[in-house]
Amino acid sequence: MMIILRPNTQQDKITQLENYIGRLGGIEIQHIQGQDTTILGLSGDTSRIDPGAFDMFEFVERTMKVAEPYKKANRKYHPENTVINAGGVEIGGKNIVVMAGPCSVESEAQVLSIARDCKRAGAAILRGGAFKPRSSPYAFQGLGMDGLDLLSIAGRKTGMPIVSEIMSTDHLEVFDREVDIIQVGARNMQNFVLLKELSHLRKPILLKRGLSATIEELLMAAEYIMAGGNDNVILCERGIRTFETYTRNTLDLSIIPVLKRQSHLPVVVDPSHGTGLWWMVESMSKAAIAAGADGLIIEVHNDPPHARCDGQQSLTPLVFSQLMRSLKAIAQVEGRDI
Ligand code: PEP
Ligand code: MN
């Protein structure tokens, strides 16, 4: 629900209304400040509020129901783009942020050499999986805590913030301490227990779209994290399940303008998992930037044929550096830097 106040309503009146809303309990208020109008956006369980109750405040112009179930993630509640600071790198601003690195951390030498190459090519953030959600229990599950340590070392040595996937609430503390962005993988997008725990942190969260999640479900997952107080959510399109089998997933680039219209949160695209094919990464990256994405997350491996995970979709450092050069032109056309 949104409460639109009359132009130039004085602060003491606004406070009076806020106190009234406060007494209703369980409702949070977002301030949307225009040139001379103020709008209060209410989130929480607003279903039991009678909009007519606000008529007694003569400075209330009108109330409006918000059709979408997501409130804090809704652009109506926050008209400007959200810019998130992740270890000194801004995501959602003018700069297109490229996160790159191996699917999984395999060894210190591997992650460090890839990190150096990615940094030299212009990546801003280092990615690397330590806890891997594999379809087969017999497949490489990641190096776990050791992998996280190696990623941290590589991040520190190259001066790059790091992003890695969390799989269990048991690891909240260590992820909060060690990584700059906590990734919620596609398979955990609706792990509401995990989302609620992450909502108590202030750490940026890279929230990947579930394998068959609708746009509204993705935004409601973001709302879970925001409802608990963590506003630092980055949305990530990584491809969805369709009838098509040529590609690993169907990269839904049409989600970008929708998310940008409906939400103020930054949008990142993962063309590696989105296609599953390394040679498609360049064209899909260009298209993502042209469509308005704020960043990309790309898998890079120094020896793709021998990668322990996702070699077929990983770029070599050389191809990655060529890609970075080719993205500059697209970013420029879009009035952005990379
Ligand atoms: C990954 O980024 O390595 C990963 C497993 O991604 P997703 O959750 O999108 O499959
Ligand atoms: Mn992967």
Side-chain angles (χ1 to χ4, degrees), residues 1 3 20-21 24 27 42 45-57 63-65:
M1 183 186 294
I3 306 175
Y20 173 81
I21 297 165
L24 298 175
I27 305 292
L42 309 192
D45 182 11
T46 54
S47 59
R48 58 205 166 77
I49 302 178
D50 169 18
F54 298 108
D55 291 349
M56 65 180 168
F57 298 97
T63 56
M64 207 176 83
K65 279 268 179 205

Side-chain angles (χ1 to χ4, degrees), residues 121-122 289 323-333 336 338:
I289 293 177
L323 163 73
M324 288 299 286
R325 274 198 293 278
S326 76
L327 293 182
K328 282 195 197 312
I330 307 280
Q332 214 165 29
V333 170
R336 306 190 69 168
I338 191 162

Side-chain angles (χ1 to χ4, degrees), residues 164-325:
S164 197
E165 176 171 353
I166 193 165
M167 296 250 288
S168 162
T169 50
D170 293 347
H171 300 143
L172 278 168
E173 247 176 67
V174 64
F175 269 76
D176 196 24
R177 195 173 56 239
E178 296 289 330
V179 313
D180 300 283
I181 303 174
I182 301 177
Q183 178 174 322
V184 174
R187 290 152 196 83
N188 271 315
M189 189 204 84
Q190 286 188 316
N191 179 341
F192 300 118
V193 173
L194 180 61
L195 300 181
K196 278 184 194 172
E197 290 294 334
L198 293 168
S199 79
H200 303 313
L201 308 181
R202 293 297 171 267
K203 184 71 69 179
I205 309 294
L206 181 76
L207 179 64
K208 297 188 98 178
R209 182 182 188 181
L211 274 68
S212 57
T214 63
I215 296 174
E216 188 168 293
E217 284 165 341
L218 172 62
L219 288 169
M220 288 311 285
E223 190 78 11
Y224 256 92
I225 301 169
M226 300 176 84
N230 187 352
D231 294 333
N232 299 314
V233 182
I234 302 154
L235 304 168
C236 180
E237 162 61 32
R238 48 78 72 203
I240 48 172
R241 279 269 162 95
T242 67
F243 51 82
E244 184 55 70
T245 54
Y246 187 91
T247 44
R248 180 177 177 177
N249 291 294
T250 297
L251 185 64
D252 179 15
L253 292 176
S254 72
I255 198 175
I256 303 168
V258 181
L259 291 176
K260 284 283 159 197
R261 185 186 177 91
Q262 296 299 115
S263 179
H264 51 91
L265 298 171
V267 178
V268 162
V269 170
D270 177 348
S272 307
H273 293 89
T275 62
L277 298 164
W278 71 269
W279 55 268
M280 288 187 74
V281 169
E282 177 171 343
S283 49
M284 291 300 97
S285 297
K286 287 177 175 168
I289 293 177
D294 299 297
L296 298 164
I297 179 162
I298 295 173
E299 289 188 337
V300 177
H301 198 282
N302 52 341
D303 184 10
H306 296 105
R308 297 193 74 181
C309 185
D310 287 351
Q312 72 292 347
Q313 65 190 37
S314 300
L315 303 185
T316 61
L318 177 65
V319 172
F320 177 67
S321 66
Q322 289 163 348
L323 163 73
M324 288 299 286
R325 274 198 293 278

Side-chain angles (χ1 to χ4, degrees), residues 85-100:
N85 186 314
V89 173
E90 285 192 343
I91 305 168
K94 189 168 186 230
N95 262 41
I96 306 273
V97 173
V98 178
M99 311 176 190

Side-chain angles (χ1 to χ4, degrees), residues 89-164:
V89 173
E90 285 192 343
I91 305 168
K94 189 168 186 230
N95 262 41
I96 306 273
V97 173
V98 178
M99 311 176 190
C103 178
S104 338
V105 176
E106 297 171 12
S107 69
E108 182 166 357
Q110 175 246 19
V111 69
L112 191 56
S113 117
I114 296 171
R116 287 192 168 127
D117 288 337
C118 289
K119 167 99 179 182
R120 201 171 308 124
I125 294 176
L126 176 64
R127 67 147 284 151
F131 297 89
K132 296 302 304 176
R134 304 303 302 276
S135 304
S136 166
Y138 308 118
F140 177 54
Q141 305 285 307
L143 295 181
M145 225 46 100
D146 293 341
L148 204 58
D149 288 343
L150 298 178
L151 185 70
S152 282
I153 293 171
R156 275 199 297 276
K157 285 197 173 164
T158 53
M160 277 198 279
I162 58 173
V163 54
S164 197

